[in-house]
Amino acid sequence: MELLNNIWTLLITPSELNTQILTFPFYFVEAYTIMTLFLLICNIQTSKKKQLIFVISLTITSSLFEKLISSPLNVLLNDSFMFLLIILLFKTIPFKTLIGLVSSVGIFGIISSLISNPYITILDITAEQLSTIPIYNIGHLLCIYAINFLIIFLLRFRKIEFNILEDIDTKNKKIILVNFLLGIFVLIVQACIIFYFVDKLPIIITLLSCISLIAYLFISIYSLTRVMKLTLTTRKLESAEEYNKTLHILHDNVRAFKHDFDNIVTTIGGYIRTNDMEGLKSYYLQLEDDCQDVNNLYLLNPEVVNNPRYL
């Protein structure tokens, strides 16, 4: 009983150090949550070993940045490290990494924004109490992670995939990059507002801010989807045009062959009608020579040129 009382006292006593110690395991949960959202959004399959390396590396750097560097610089450095870690570990291109990272961090940030102000208001506590009293801080984190895991479950259960084209044309790629860089800036500003004024802002202001972030996120995803569809449609039209050109070439070749074949049949028929066997024999030998010349063109086959072993 005394042990339980000591634990309860530890949980309700204001202490920034105790709060940091008790909530340190949640760094692993946060890293795993963001990684899972990123992998689902980008539709990436990877090994458990790489996932473990990512979670441990991000947990260590996040805790160090938070303790050694003040906000919001620590958030910027942490996101930059995460960006490089994803590229090196999961072998993704920068464009795809940026989109997936902003989307996953954005989802996590929006949920944090939605939870923090109502949580403080309902419990009638201050931001300082939230950050220094372990039980309040743990409860806050549990609410955030519970909603994030619910979103992850829905994405997996409904098998929702966001297929991102890696070779979008340069013009659209620049537009998307600017859009998502703006998203990073908005998320950093929102994080600063939550950090400094979470207990001072009315709930309605927090709600409107979160609605704006959600709207921005969905509009960005919708715009990206439209760009992807446009790119795919353009490629299909280009393929259809190339196919149409090929059909025209084949049609012209068939017409040329028909013309030559008609001439051959007419010539043979002329020799037969005049009973000119010598002329027919001579014409046949000429046809054999022409056929041999045509057969020699087989050497121009790309498979033969690129793979001489077929000779």
Side-chain angles (χ1 to χ4, degrees):
M1 193 66 180
E2 184 179 355
L3 177 61
L4 294 176
N5 289 332
N6 291 335
I7 293 175
W8 178 251
T9 302
L10 177 66
L11 291 175
I12 63 175
T13 301
S15 172
E16 186 173 352
L17 178 60
N18 290 339
T19 302
Q20 292 177 353
I21 294 174
L22 291 174
T23 58
F24 179 77
F26 288 97
Y27 282 103
F28 291 93
V29 182
E30 181 176 342
Y32 176 79
T33 304
I34 293 177
M35 178 196 68
T36 305
L37 286 170
F38 174 82
L39 295 177
L40 284 173
I41 290 172
C42 295
N43 192 26
I44 295 176
Q45 302 294 329
T46 186
S47 64
K48 297 294 183 181
K49 180 180 178 181
K50 289 184 178 181
Q51 293 182 29
L52 182 61
I53 294 174
F54 178 88
V55 171
I56 294 176
S57 301
L58 185 59
T59 299
I60 294 173
T61 55
S62 297
S63 59
L64 289 177
F65 286 150
E66 184 174 352
K67 289 176 176 59
L68 300 177
I69 303 174
S70 59
S71 181
L73 183 59
N74 60 349
V75 177
L76 181 60
L77 290 175
N78 189 56
D79 290 342
S80 300
F81 173 79
M82 203 185 325
F83 179 81
L84 296 175
L85 182 62
I86 289 172
I87 292 177
L88 294 175
L89 199 57
F90 300 135
K91 307 300 180 182
T92 57
I93 63 172
F95 176 66
K96 186 174 183 177
T97 304
L98 180 63
I99 293 175
L101 183 58
V102 172
S103 300
S104 56
V105 173
I107 292 173
F108 193 90
I110 289 172
I111 293 173
S112 300
S113 301
L114 285 171
I115 293 296
S116 298
N117 200 318
Y119 185 84
I120 288 176
T121 303
I122 293 172
L123 296 180
D124 193 21
I125 59 177
T126 64
E128 183 180 356
Q129 289 176 314
L130 177 63
S131 61
T132 58
I133 299 179
I135 191 169
Y136 292 145
N137 199 296
I138 291 173
H140 178 246
L141 293 175
L142 288 175
C143 291
I144 293 174
Y145 297 139
I147 297 177
N148 274 282
F149 280 116
L150 177 61
I151 293 176
I152 291 172
F153 172 77
L154 292 175
L155 290 175
R156 285 177 172 170
F157 178 74
R158 295 187 175 274
K159 297 181 180 180
I160 300 174
E161 297 179 355
F162 301 92
N163 295 317
I164 301 175
L165 294 177
E166 299 182 357
D167 50 354
I168 296 176
D169 60 275
T170 305
K171 180 180 178 181
N172 286 323
K173 186 177 291 187
K174 289 180 179 178
I175 295 174
I176 293 173
L177 285 176
V178 171
N179 184 46
F180 277 87
L181 288 174
L182 177 62
I184 293 175
F185 175 76
V186 171
L187 288 174
I188 292 175
V189 172
Q190 183 68 19
C192 294
I193 293 174
I194 292 174
F195 183 80
Y196 291 109
F197 306 107
V198 65
D199 58 340
K200 298 180 177 61
L201 291 173
I203 293 181
I204 185 64
I205 300 298
T206 303
L207 182 61
L208 290 175
S209 177
C210 292
I211 291 175
S212 301
L213 286 174
I214 293 171
Y216 167 78
L217 182 63
F218 276 98
I219 290 174
S220 299
I221 293 175
Y222 176 77
S223 301
L224 176 60
T225 303
R226 299 296 296 179
V227 170
M228 287 162 37
K229 288 182 178 179
L230 179 61
T231 302
L232 183 59
T233 302
T234 302
R235 287 182 183 168
K236 288 182 177 179
L237 289 175
E238 291 175 352
S239 298
E241 185 177 355
E242 291 296 326
Y243 180 70
N244 191 38
K245 289 180 180 179
T246 303
L247 288 180
H248 277 293
I249 294 173
L250 290 174
H251 179 260
D252 292 339
N253 290 338
V254 170
R255 288 182 60 186
F257 174 76
K258 180 180 180 299
H259 180 267
D260 294 339
F261 184 75
D262 288 342
N263 288 339
I264 292 172
V265 172
T266 300
T267 302
I268 293 174
Y271 284 120
I272 293 174
R273 281 192 296 271
T274 58
N275 199 24
D276 185 1
M277 298 306 295
E278 292 298 326
L280 180 59
K281 290 179 181 179
S282 176
Y283 183 68
Y284 176 77
L285 292 175
Q286 180 184 344
L287 287 178
E288 278 192 328
D289 293 337
D290 291 340
C291 288
Q292 184 61 41
D293 292 338
V294 172
N295 289 335
N296 290 336
L297 294 178
Y298 172 77
L299 296 176
L300 297 179
N301 186 340
E303 289 293 334
V304 176
V305 174
N306 295 326
N307 302 282
R309 65 176 181 274
Y310 289 125
L311 287 174

